[in-house]
Amino acid sequence: MNRLGQAKSPYLLQHEHNPVHWWEWGPEAFAEARRTNRPVLLSVGYAACHWCHVMAHESFEDAGVAAVMNELFVNIKVDREERPDVDHIYMSALHLLGEQGGWPLTMFLSPEGEPFWGGTYFPKEPKFGRPGFVQVLREVSRVFHAEPERIAHNRKILVERLAQAAEPGAARLDLAFLDRVGEKLTELFDPVNGGLQGAPKFPNPPIVEFLARHAERSGNEEARRRAHLALERMALGGIRDHLGGGFARYSVDEKWLVPHFEKMLYDNAQLLELYAVAARETGSDLFRAAATGIVDWLEREMVVGHKPDPAALPATDPRPGVPGGAFASSLDADSEGEEGKFYVWSLDEVRDVLGPDADLFAQVYDVTRAGNFEHANIPNLLRHGPLSSALEEALAPMRAKLLQRRTGRIRPGLDDKVLADWNGLTIAALVRAAAMLDRADWLGPAERAHAFVAETMTRDGRLGHSWREGELVFPGFALDHAAMMRAALALYEATGVRTYLEQARDWRTVLLRDYATEGGVLAMTAKDAVRLVVRPQPTNDDAVPNANGVFAEALVRLAALTGSPDDRTLAEDFLQRLGGLAAAQPLGHTSVLNALDLHLRGLSVVVTGPDRATLTHAALRLPFWTRSVFSGDPQDLADAHPAKAAAAGGPGAGGPAQALICAGMRCSLPVRSPEELARAAGEMAGA
């Protein structure tokens, strides 16, 4: 019997009609494996995963293959986005077996959940140098029953290795260390196409941020050029949706032309921050358009809770509404069983929509009769380059017409579950980009999403991880609390509403109480979560920054906002505990190193007095990488804050609004205009 019909995960529901007798992850499935003495086949994927769909169509929908699976295994299907802890453990086991990771993840477990062998995608029939799936199933079952000592050996070694969590080693890293890593990273970046060299190419936002921070800190112009080049080539390439906004998960080629077409919320959240800062720094219209396109896409297609603008979608759009206004997780790569079909164009289609304007659009966006992707066309600007203002004005209505035509196509599937951690990343990005690009209207969507997560996804002060149709996966993970803490602090800086500060402190308490390990770093799962074969304790970044790096940044920012010595000590101690891990594998811990950079050279801007909105806005327009902004009553600052005395009793007390810019325990003289604030910030940063 297939038991997925009661699931809430859109990915699991994609498989509810398979002839496979799927179980959801849980004790009942393992009890069945023990009762029948069968191994467990664990299949992990996600709703937007192309190769997951391929394996499903080839094997899981095939009655013959399903019969073999049902006879020989207890089959468990897991959504990696809903259960990142399960995915992390068994993907780590696959790596220990010497295999390259990816999804779908196919692992074979003992009835106790211990892994003993696995792989990723298995074709139904032998090809690509891989055995056919049925052949694999029969051989794994044979070995499980006929050679139990071999299975026991693998189980023992893998579980022992999985349990060997990286030991945090205290190390006090400095700016010189950050610069050495930055110089090496500059050499690793592709000088022609941008990003890390080779293919496939992933955006890797924390790594690009680290390179940009290095360039700003050191004055390394080549580092600056390569960081901006990565952002430029992505914004020009087919990985960006030039009609609807947003970025695909990665490019299969080294030029950023051909994407893997799924769009993930977490990628776009992180890229929004990068493009906002780069647009502010360079004045680039391309970077501003990339950032604006992300937000347009988020608001048009990814807000769950109301129908998007009816002008942007057909009236028959089938997506369910979910109250609250948080953000959905992803859009699939496939539609009508074909990857990218929703996004590509033929030259004839473009001519049908645009008429006499088609030739200009085709010339600029690389649309040809032969095509640039499997006889179709992915619109891109790689050959043309950034648009002039005049050309942008001419092309904007053409893109709008094509987007309107595209809405009539069969849409890729929307995974509309709400994930607390990904929403936290998105909320912070919207708040920060709003200030960078003077888009105050972006604060509203951020506040709505924050309210949904903080209210609907919270039980007894703790967050759940995934919400859909009233069902909450609880308790949440460390990254849920760290990302929402960081988001609350961004909202506090932007609005001055103390409720956000108190929420950030509450989530800090939860992390220290329920997620901290004996070594002082964060485990992925709560202490009272249902036990797995090991408690996962990763510290390295993945497609999303690691909880430890996000928490480190939030601790540093909280200390800067309050001026509390206790807050500062906590941030310093946490960074020091992570230092040894970051020193041993710096490119895997760039979120930690970015937090360290903020700690070592961050500016604290304190804005006080009546009518302070103009000065506060000017402070928020400083790059958030190296500043925090307190705007309010100086009595709310800790007594130890270097600006408290001057803010409370200085020349500006009771008079016009003023700002003080502090670095460490040093503060500037009071400034009272945006121009003075920008100049003083530059002087303090260079001192």
Side-chain angles (χ1 to χ4, degrees):
M1 177 177 72
N2 186 317
R3 297 164 177 80
L4 300 184
Q6 300 303 310
K8 292 299 183 183
S9 158
Y11 174 64
L12 298 189
L13 291 173
Q14 289 175 356
H15 296 269
E16 65 174 317
H17 299 300
N18 293 167
V20 178
H21 294 171
W22 290 117
W23 296 71
E24 289 193 70
W25 180 274
E28 298 83 2
F30 290 98
E32 176 68 8
R34 289 190 294 271
R35 185 185 71 81
T36 59
N37 191 31
R38 284 182 291 168
V40 169
L41 187 158
L42 173 66
S43 177
V44 183
Y46 57 100
C49 168
H50 171 69
W51 284 102
C52 299
H53 301 330
V54 172
M55 191 167 179
H57 296 324
E58 289 181 349
S59 294
F60 304 152
E61 296 171 8
D62 183 279
V65 176
V68 176
M69 294 173 66
N70 297 335
E71 175 190 357
L72 302 179
F73 297 90
V74 171
N75 303 288
I76 300 178
K77 177 63 74 172
V78 167
D79 180 344
R80 69 174 292 258
E81 296 168 0
E82 192 175 69
R83 293 300 303 265
D85 52 340
V86 173
D87 176 64
H88 174 79
I89 288 171
Y90 295 105
M91 186 64 75
S92 298
L94 183 67
H95 292 155
L96 290 172
L97 289 167
E99 295 286 337
Q100 185 174 356
W103 296 276
L105 172 63
T106 308
M107 290 298 294
F108 298 97
L109 320 179
S110 74
E112 289 73 39
E114 299 161 324
F116 59 84
W117 193 72
T120 52
Y121 162 76
F122 288 98
K124 179 183 174 183
E125 306 294 341
K127 60 181 175 180
F128 308 134
R130 302 178 69 95
F133 190 45
V134 171
Q135 179 183 351
V136 169
L137 295 175
R138 294 194 185 280
E139 178 61 13
V140 169
S141 177
R142 185 197 69 78
V143 172
F144 179 82
H145 293 288
E147 304 179 41
E149 70 288 345
R150 182 175 168 189
I151 298 297
H153 175 74
N154 275 19
R155 288 164 52 185
K156 181 176 183 294
I157 290 178
L158 286 175
V159 172
E160 286 178 352
R161 293 285 302 278
L162 288 170
Q164 292 174 358
E167 290 293 331
R172 193 175 295 277
L173 306 180
D174 56 16
L175 292 176
F177 172 81
L178 295 180
D179 284 339
R180 289 195 297 273
V181 176
E183 290 166 4
K184 293 179 181 178
L185 181 58
T186 302
E187 297 173 359
L188 294 175
F189 259 52
D190 187 333
V192 176
N193 297 302
L196 294 174
Q197 299 188 32
K201 278 190 185 293
F202 289 83
N204 292 316
I207 294 179
V208 178
E209 178 184 333
F210 180 82
L211 187 63
R213 283 176 176 271
H214 167 65
E216 177 190 323
R217 182 176 59 246
S218 66
N220 185 328
E221 289 303 317
E222 183 59 20
R224 190 186 313 278
R225 187 189 77 81
R226 294 197 187 194
H228 287 164
L229 178 65
L231 295 174
E232 177 181 284
R233 299 300 289 178
M234 282 191 283
L236 295 174
I239 191 174
R240 175 183 165 209
D241 181 353
H242 290 264
L243 302 182
F247 286 77
R249 181 166 167 251
Y250 67 90
S251 170
V252 302
D253 62 281
E254 64 180 8
K255 297 180 180 180
W256 305 105
L257 173 61
V258 180
H260 222 336
F261 288 88
E262 64 261 39
K263 290 184 183 178
M264 314 302 293
L265 181 64
Y266 62 78
D267 283 322
N268 285 279
Q270 296 174 89
L271 287 169
L272 174 57
E273 290 190 346
L274 288 177
Y275 279 109
V277 172
R280 183 76 188 152
E281 179 183 354
T282 66
S284 165
D285 290 336
L286 177 67
F287 294 165
R288 177 177 286 271
T292 302
I294 290 172
V295 181
D296 289 345
W297 167 69
L298 288 173
E299 294 193 284
R300 186 182 63 249
E301 300 186 43
M302 299 301 286
V303 177
V304 291
H306 64 268
K307 288 287 186 181
D309 181 354
L313 292 174
T316 56
D317 179 65
R319 287 177 290 167
V322 178
F327 295 100
S329 297
S330 66
L331 279 174
D332 205 335
D334 295 12
S335 56
E336 301 180 77
E338 187 174 325
E339 185 183 10
K341 185 173 183 178
F342 183 74
Y343 298 101
V344 299
W345 297 83
S346 69
L347 180 59
D348 288 341
E349 287 177 298
V350 172
R351 286 177 171 164
D352 181 57
V353 176
L354 298 182
D357 292 331
D359 287 345
L360 175 60
F361 184 90
Q363 178 185 0
V364 173
Y365 282 98
D366 188 28
V367 177
T368 65
R369 178 71 61 188
N372 55 32
F373 171 69
E374 297 182 357
H375 309 295
N377 292 277
I378 303 168
N380 72 92
L381 293 169
L382 287 169
R383 293 188 179 185
H384 184 277
L387 302 176
S388 66
S389 298
L391 198 51
E392 167 59 25
E393 184 177 354
L395 288 164
M398 300 183 204
R399 294 196 304 268
K401 289 180 181 179
L402 289 168
L403 178 62
Q404 181 62 36
R405 171 65 68 88
R406 198 176 77 178
T407 62
R409 297 176 177 176
I410 296 176
R411 301 183 59 81
L414 174 74
D415 186 331
D416 62 351
K417 66 179 180 289
V418 177
L419 299 178
D421 51 356
W422 296 7
N423 270 264
L425 296 175
T426 307
I427 293 161
L430 283 167
V431 174
R432 292 166 170 180
M436 291 284 98
L437 301 181
D438 299 319
R439 291 296 303 262
D441 54 310
W442 291 353
L443 277 178
E447 291 189 290
R448 287 194 299 271
H450 177 275
F452 180 87
V453 176
E455 296 167 12
T456 306
M457 299 180 68
T458 298
R459 293 180 186 169
D460 299 324
R462 291 198 297 175
L463 290 167
H465 171 63
S466 175
W467 184 97
R468 186 172 185 269
E469 295 184 351
E471 187 166 303
L472 183 66
V473 174
F474 186 87
F477 302 104
L479 184 58
D480 296 311
H481 295 85
M484 285 301 296
M485 178 184 173
R486 177 175 174 266
L489 291 173
L491 283 166
Y492 176 62
E493 290 186 75
T495 67
V497 175
R498 285 192 61 82
T499 301
Y500 293 127
L501 179 64
E502 296 308 317
Q503 285 178 325
R505 285 172 166 155
D506 290 344
W507 285 323
R508 176 190 63 181
T509 298
V510 170
L511 284 163
L512 294 173
R513 183 190 68 208
D514 297 340
Y515 294 86
T517 65
E518 291 183 3
V521 300
L522 301 180
M524 181 183 286
T525 54
K527 292 175 181 176
D528 62 345
V530 176
R531 290 182 62 84
L532 302 172
V533 290
V534 296
R535 188 184 185 196
Q537 300 178 28
T539 60
N540 56 293
D541 299 322
D542 202 341
V544 292
N546 184 267
N548 285 278
V550 176
F551 189 41
E553 181 200 328
L555 290 174
V556 170
R557 197 169 293 278
L558 178 62
L561 288 169
T562 66
S564 163
D566 290 342
D567 289 346
R568 184 175 182 84
T569 298
L570 181 59
E572 289 177 341
D573 288 349
F574 192 68
L575 280 169
Q576 190 169 348
R577 284 194 292 273
L578 292 168
L581 296 168
Q585 191 190 7
L587 293 190
H589 293 82
T590 48
S591 66
V592 173
L593 299 182
N594 291 335
L596 176 64
D597 179 61
L598 175 64
H599 172 64
L600 292 176
R601 63 188 190 95
L603 301 177
S604 178
V605 185
V606 175
V607 187
T608 59
D611 301 322
R612 59 181 176 269
T614 299
L615 273 181
T616 299
H617 179 63
L620 290 169
R621 294 176 80 189
L622 298 172
F624 60 84
W625 288 344
T626 51
R627 61 95 178 121
S628 61
V629 177
F630 171 91
S631 178
D633 187 338
Q635 294 305 315
D636 291 334
L637 297 171
D639 290 341
H641 197 294
K644 181 162 187 176
Q658 67 173 21
L660 296 150
I661 299 94
C662 304
M665 299 305 293
R666 299 176 297 106
C667 294
S668 69
L669 294 172
V671 297
R672 296 184 176 84
S673 72
E675 295 76 19
E676 288 179 312
L677 189 150
R679 182 167 56 252
E683 291 171 353
M684 293 296 291

